[in-house]
Amino acid sequence: MSTFRYLLRDTFRLIFRHWGMSLLTLFSISAVFFLLGASSLLSLNTRHLLGNIEGQLTVQAYLKPGSDLEAARKKVQTFGNIVQIVAITPDEALEHLKARLGNRAEVITLVGENPLPPALEIRVERAAHVSSLARRLVAMAEVEDVVYAGGLAEKLSRLSVFVGRLSVGILVIAVVAAVMVLFNTVRMAVYSRRDEIHVMLQVGATQTYVALPFVLQGMLLGMMGAAFAALTLLKGYSSAISVLAATMPFLLFLRDGALLAKLGVVLVGAGICLGWIASWFAVVRYIRDAVKPL
Amino acid sequence: MDIRISGVTKVFEGDIVALDGVYFAVGAGEFVYLVGTTGSGKTTLLRVISREVLPTKGQVLVGGFDLRRMRYNDLAYYRRDLGIVFQDFRLLSHLTVLENVAFILEAMGVPPREVRDRSGFILERVGMWHRRFLKPPQLSGGEQQRVAIARAIVNAPAVLLADEPTGNLDPRTSDEIVQLLTSINASGTTVIMATHNQYLVDAYRHRVVELSRGRIIRDENQGRYAADVDL
């Protein structure tokens, strides 16, 4: 209890002793985590949007007349990455066509017999799966023709990969920046107290006891910076979404409150972890050198 | 806790020989003055005992334990058995007198009530209780040294190492500090004090070990504790 009280007291002493530096660190960490959170939101929204479009992406496989529709459906089911297969008989296809033509449906009666082939309407999990599925369908003996939005599927797939890479790139830059900012802040605090550290080690304080206030300082600054960034970001995002949804109703933005709350928690957790890692490296090596005998 | 130093040589970078084949033993409860000119090796010898310096050659046994074989993590626990007093006091300037004395007990995880009691008792003993809420810069040199001694002995160490503890003090205050160290020694703590002050050595008689160029050239009054030490 006594040790815990000392650690807390010393941690706050470190923060307030160099309050200018602490404030600067808080702003820097907030900016970095804001960038990290914004990139995560961009990535989540892109995936959300792509998910919606992908959900509507279908592949139509037209079978040769007289083919066994149910057998073909079962065969395609084994291909994997498939969300749904709807088997459409020629009669059902004709009914759909009539419904779409409306008043002009009488034209079909001029043809005499039903010219429409049996078909499979297939929905896949991801846009990236469309091309490979189409190739497999074309190779089937009972399939006469395959129709799908190949260009759109490929573009969606490329966009998804690009957004994923962009997010990872921003993540790496943000993590490195956060670690460097926290590392330097704690390192400066260590140097400003190097004489005290030497005295503490000489009179029998353990390395952990000496290091902990610095580590807690890093964790606290990381946590507060990330929390400030998360609050600003999520508040700003909900305001921005309200405006954007009114002006661009055709775009589907992410509004999942639980997911956004999780993002906030992840950011704060990342702030604590990065604060811990950066300050640990900043202080431990210094202490190890300080206790090394001459 | 007895200390045995056998054939210790320390050569620093640049071939600077600080200690040159030193044999030295101190029995539990002894008071030893280390005297000699600047650069004679007094401070290095104290730092060898506190394991801030590792000998280039030779063996250091403290309480039967070989310091060269000490594990990295055991160093803090070893140093809690030593009290160290420096010429320049080295108090933590942002802490009060009471906190300076208490923090080593806090580092050891001593319960808060015991920390208060023991710190208070030690500050009473060194005559600094009335100054407990002041910070080191608000104290005189003699008062700071008293606080430093209180910090060194608050965890009841077996050995007290004092490196020129009166170096920055006036003669009267120096007298008071040596009297304080003598009373600490009387309660059973081994005291090894490096000093230049011949007056103090003559006024308060204890064993005297003189160093010159890293060698022991005189060891007076060795008999009572260390005569049985086989070096």
Side-chain angles (χ1 to χ4, degrees):
Chain A
M1 186 60 200
S2 171
T3 308
F4 180 69
R5 201 184 54 191
Y6 163 79
L7 290 176
L8 272 188
R9 189 183 62 196
D10 218 41
T11 302
F12 283 103
R13 224 174 232 157
L14 279 173
I15 290 173
F16 289 112
R17 191 175 183 186
H18 305 283
W19 62 269
M21 191 69 197
S22 298
L23 210 60
L24 196 65
T25 306
L26 270 183
F27 281 129
S28 310
I29 292 296
S30 294
V32 168
F33 274 89
F34 190 88
L35 179 71
L36 189 62
S39 99
S40 304
L41 278 177
L42 173 70
S43 176
L44 285 171
N45 268 299
T46 309
R47 284 181 198 283
H48 180 66
L49 194 65
L50 290 180
N52 273 308
I53 297 170
E54 281 173 339
Q56 293 162 20
L57 208 59
T58 57
V59 178
Q60 307 275 349
Y62 296 103
L63 307 185
K64 290 174 181 166
S67 298
D68 184 344
L69 191 58
E70 188 53 27
R73 193 187 70 78
K74 282 182 180 165
K75 192 172 177 185
V76 172
Q77 191 79 60
T78 62
F79 288 177
N81 302 319
I82 288 166
V83 176
Q84 189 186 33
I85 304 176
V86 179
I88 303 168
T89 61
D91 292 342
E92 285 168 339
L94 188 63
E95 287 306 313
H96 290 163
L97 187 61
K98 280 180 180 174
R100 279 168 64 185
L101 290 174
N103 294 336
R104 292 168 291 162
E106 286 177 9
V107 177
I108 296 168
T109 56
L110 298 174
V111 182
E113 62 179 23
N114 183 357
L116 299 175
L120 293 174
E121 193 177 279
I122 308 155
R123 275 175 56 204
V124 291
E125 286 174 1
R126 308 293 299 268
H129 301 142
V130 167
S131 298
S132 60
L133 175 68
R135 277 197 297 276
R136 294 187 76 174
L137 288 170
V138 166
M140 284 171 64
E142 55 269 56
V143 172
E144 190 161 68
D145 195 10
V146 175
V147 176
Y148 67 100
L152 177 63
E154 277 179 22
K155 277 179 188 165
L156 285 177
S157 178
R158 278 207 300 270
L159 182 62
S160 179
V161 170
F162 172 74
V163 170
R165 283 182 184 165
L166 184 71
S167 297
V168 170
I170 291 173
L171 176 78
V172 170
I173 292 168
V175 164
V176 171
V179 167
M180 283 179 71
V181 168
L182 286 164
F183 180 89
N184 283 325
T185 302
V186 175
R187 194 80 170 159
M188 282 186 72
V190 169
Y191 271 102
S192 75
R193 291 186 61 179
R194 60 189 179 280
D195 293 339
E196 292 166 30
I197 290 173
H198 278 277
V199 172
M200 290 168 86
L201 292 168
Q202 273 170 333
V203 297
T206 60
Q207 292 164 47
T208 309
Y209 184 80
V210 175
L212 266 178
F214 295 100
V215 174
L216 286 175
Q217 177 199 20
M219 288 169 73
L220 209 60
L221 288 176
M223 185 188 77
M224 290 195 298
F228 183 68
L231 285 174
T232 315
L233 186 72
L234 296 180
K235 180 80 184 153
Y237 177 75
S238 62
S239 305
I241 289 304
S242 304
V243 175
L244 287 172
T247 51
M248 292 185 276
F250 51 89
L251 284 179
L252 296 166
F253 291 104
L254 187 69
R255 286 170 178 274
D256 184 347
L259 186 65
L260 293 176
K262 270 185 204 164
L263 176 65
V265 171
V266 167
L267 283 177
V268 173
I272 294 171
C273 287
L274 292 182
W276 173 60
I277 293 167
S279 52
W280 182 255
F281 278 109
V283 71
V284 161
R285 195 168 167 198
Y286 184 86
I287 290 178
R288 294 232 159 140
D289 285 344
V291 292
K292 199 181 283 178
L294 293 170
Chain B
M1 194 156 73
D2 60 330
I3 299 165
R4 297 175 192 217
I5 292 172
S6 309
V8 164
T9 295
K10 179 63 190 178
V11 182
F12 287 112
E13 270 184 28
D15 284 340
I16 298 164
V17 181
L19 293 174
D20 186 7
V22 170
Y23 287 84
F24 176 55
V26 182
E30 254 195 294
F31 192 124
V32 179
Y33 291 117
L34 291 179
V35 298
T37 54
T38 303
S40 59
K42 305 187 295 291
T43 298
T44 305
L45 189 54
L46 290 179
R47 295 177 78 191
V48 163
I49 296 169
S50 65
R51 205 182 175 272
E52 284 176 76
V53 169
L54 274 185
T56 311
K57 212 166 73 180
Q59 189 183 44
V60 184
L61 294 174
V62 179
F65 195 81
D66 188 347
L67 293 194
R68 288 183 74 101
R69 293 184 184 171
M70 178 170 284
R71 285 185 311 168
Y72 194 66
N73 293 329
D74 291 336
L75 186 59
Y77 300 98
Y78 166 67
R79 285 190 178 155
R80 288 177 191 178
D81 256 343
L82 301 177
I84 305 178
V85 180
F86 308 94
Q87 180 177 354
D88 54 356
F89 324 128
R90 300 197 199 170
L91 297 171
L92 305 185
S93 57
H94 65 288
L95 301 182
T96 65
V97 165
L98 186 62
E99 288 169 340
N100 260 287
V101 175
F103 99 86
I104 184 64
L105 297 176
E106 289 174 337
M108 290 163 64
V110 174
R113 178 183 286 269
E114 199 180 330
V115 169
R116 270 200 309 275
D117 292 349
R118 280 168 66 176
S119 305
F121 173 76
I122 290 296
L123 283 175
E124 288 268 18
R125 187 171 176 195
V126 301
M128 289 301 294
W129 174 246
H130 65 295
R131 301 287 220 184
R132 64 191 177 282
F133 296 126
L134 296 183
K135 292 192 174 175
Q138 297 170 288
L139 304 175
S140 69
E143 287 175 325
Q144 289 192 53
Q145 195 58 291
R146 282 174 179 276
V147 177
I149 291 171
R151 181 184 64 187
I153 61 170
V154 71
N155 56 331
V159 178
L160 181 64
L161 304 175
D163 190 6
E164 301 278 6
T166 59
N168 287 339
L169 306 177
D170 60 72
R172 188 175 160 190
T173 313
S174 298
D175 265 334
E176 290 170 6
I177 293 297
V178 177
Q179 283 166 20
L180 180 60
L181 293 177
T182 302
S183 78
I184 291 165
N185 173 243
S187 59
T189 305
T190 306
V191 177
I192 305 176
M193 172 179 158
T195 184
H196 275 117
N197 194 325
Q198 190 58 45
Y199 161 75
L200 292 174
V201 175
D202 292 337
Y204 302 93
R205 303 292 295 174
H206 298 291
R207 178 178 164 195
V208 181
V209 173
E210 185 174 355
L211 286 131
S212 176
R213 295 183 180 179
R215 292 180 174 211
I216 292 178
I217 57 168
R218 178 165 66 111
D219 190 348
E220 287 180 357
N221 192 21
Q222 187 178 354
R224 192 154 73 94
Y225 296 98
D228 61 329
V229 176
D230 179 25
L231 293 174

